[in-house]
Amino acid sequence: MSPTVWFLTGNEGKLAEASIHLSNLGYRVKQLMVDEEELYEPQAESLEVVARSKINQALNHLPEQFGNNDMILVEDAGLFIKALDGFPGVYSSFVHSTIGNLGVIRLLNHLSTEDPVSSANLRAAEFRAVAALWCNGEIIIGEGICPGHIGDELMEGNGFGFDPIFIPYDLDEHKNPLPAGTYGDYSTHGKTFGAIDSVAKNKFSHRVRALENLFSQLPSA
Ligand code: ITT
């Protein structure tokens, strides 16, 4: 039987996206539940520091059903806006729960022009994710980036967090991102992540890229 990947996260959206991807690779994914008060998220300058800290904490909260070959997954992500020098970055959770999506749009109000391509360049942003996997006593790290831009209005329906305001750049046939305004083999046709479903989001997602990068380093991969 393939090992279970225990994902330490309180975010159902992250869990759902990782489960779709990892089940395609043959893994079972279960949520590792830990009381919020018992977890500490360091306010660090790097996503990797946060991810490593979460792995070390998860090791103190292993469930009884944890099997010999099972693995622990944590992942830390953030939205980095170019015109704001990478803000909110590692402060994404705080910014989302305080000023929210409309607040971010307001911060960028002055960066809109008639021309959609130059607006997309002025409003460039990227999601970044760092995933860490504990496997047989070792920690493996994977990173993923999804470039795009911040839309000028909310487009919601699906997703979580900043999904309603983030429009990924199109991708070419090899899934490499293209410059703003270029149509590619993979496209959301100007829709935000919030306006597409998670299977479609996973084609672009920083999270999936981090997981692909991470799982490609496993000896059996
Ligand atoms: P954990 O319990 O796994 O830590 P979290 O919600 O705190 O979940 P992160 O620290 O990884 O998640 O991400 C910080 C915030 O960045 C998150 O709360 C969202 O607002 C935003 N974010 C991260 N990934 C996102 C995505 O794929 N789509 C939209 N927003 C995202």
Side-chain angles (χ1 to χ4, degrees), residues 12-84:
E12 299 289 335
K14 286 170 60 169
L15 180 69
E17 289 173 17
S19 301
I20 292 172
H21 179 69
L22 293 178
S23 65
N24 289 337
L25 298 182
Y27 293 97
R28 286 195 309 158
V29 179
K30 288 193 180 161
Q31 187 172 18
L32 178 54
M33 300 288 285
V34 178
D35 265 354
E36 249 179 53
E37 301 87 63
E38 295 195 47
L39 279 183
Y40 155 76
E41 179 154 339
Q43 195 60 74
E45 286 304 312
S46 111
L47 295 177
E48 182 173 335
V49 170
V50 179
R52 283 186 183 275
S53 156
K54 284 187 190 165
I55 284 275
N56 289 325
Q57 296 180 63
L59 287 168
N60 295 325
H61 295 279
L62 295 187
E64 274 176 19
Q65 315 93 292
F66 194 85
N68 280 342
N69 294 319
D70 285 359
M71 305 170 182
I72 306 167
L73 175 68
V74 303
E75 185 251 291
D76 209 56
L79 177 68
F80 294 72
I81 300 175
K82 200 170 164 196
L84 304 179

Side-chain angles (χ1 to χ4, degrees), residues 46-215:
S46 111
L47 295 177
E48 182 173 335
V49 170
V50 179
R52 283 186 183 275
S53 156
K54 284 187 190 165
I55 284 275
N56 289 325
Q57 296 180 63
L59 287 168
N60 295 325
H61 295 279
L62 295 187
E64 274 176 19
Q65 315 93 292
F66 194 85
N68 280 342
N69 294 319
D70 285 359
M71 305 170 182
I72 306 167
L73 175 68
V74 303
E75 185 251 291
D76 209 56
L79 177 68
F80 294 72
I81 300 175
K82 200 170 164 196
L84 304 179
D85 288 335
F87 184 80
V90 294
Y91 306 102
S92 291
S93 242
F94 176 73
V95 168
H96 188 264
S97 62
T98 50
I99 64 171
N101 285 323
L102 283 176
V104 173
I105 287 181
R106 258 184 248 119
L107 286 178
L108 302 182
N109 266 350
H110 61 298
L111 298 175
S112 242
T113 69
E114 294 284 298
D115 173 33
V117 176
S118 59
S119 280
N121 283 322
L122 288 169
R123 299 166 75 89
E126 61 189 28
F127 272 121
R128 292 184 204 159
V130 171
L133 187 78
W134 182 92
C135 175
N136 294 324
E138 285 195 43
I139 296 178
I140 304 169
I141 301 282
E143 295 182 343
I145 290 182
C146 173
H149 74 277
I150 304 296
D152 41 29
E153 59 181 14
L154 293 184
M155 274 186 241
E156 34 198 352
N158 298 303
F160 64 94
F162 298 109
D163 281 342
I165 58 169
F166 182 82
I167 302 168
Y169 290 156
D170 283 17
L171 307 176
D172 70 12
E173 55 181 329
H174 307 294
K175 295 211 175 152
N176 293 316
L178 293 162
T182 314
Y183 286 103
D185 291 55
Y186 300 89
S187 176
T188 68
H189 304 283
K191 289 184 185 160
T192 65
F193 273 165
I196 60 176
D197 64 32
S198 25
V199 173
K201 175 180 172 184
N202 273 1
K203 297 200 168 79
F204 301 83
S205 156
H206 46 298
R207 178 157 302 106
V208 165
R209 285 176 181 245
L211 291 173
E212 279 172 350
N213 176 235
L214 192 162
F215 278 84

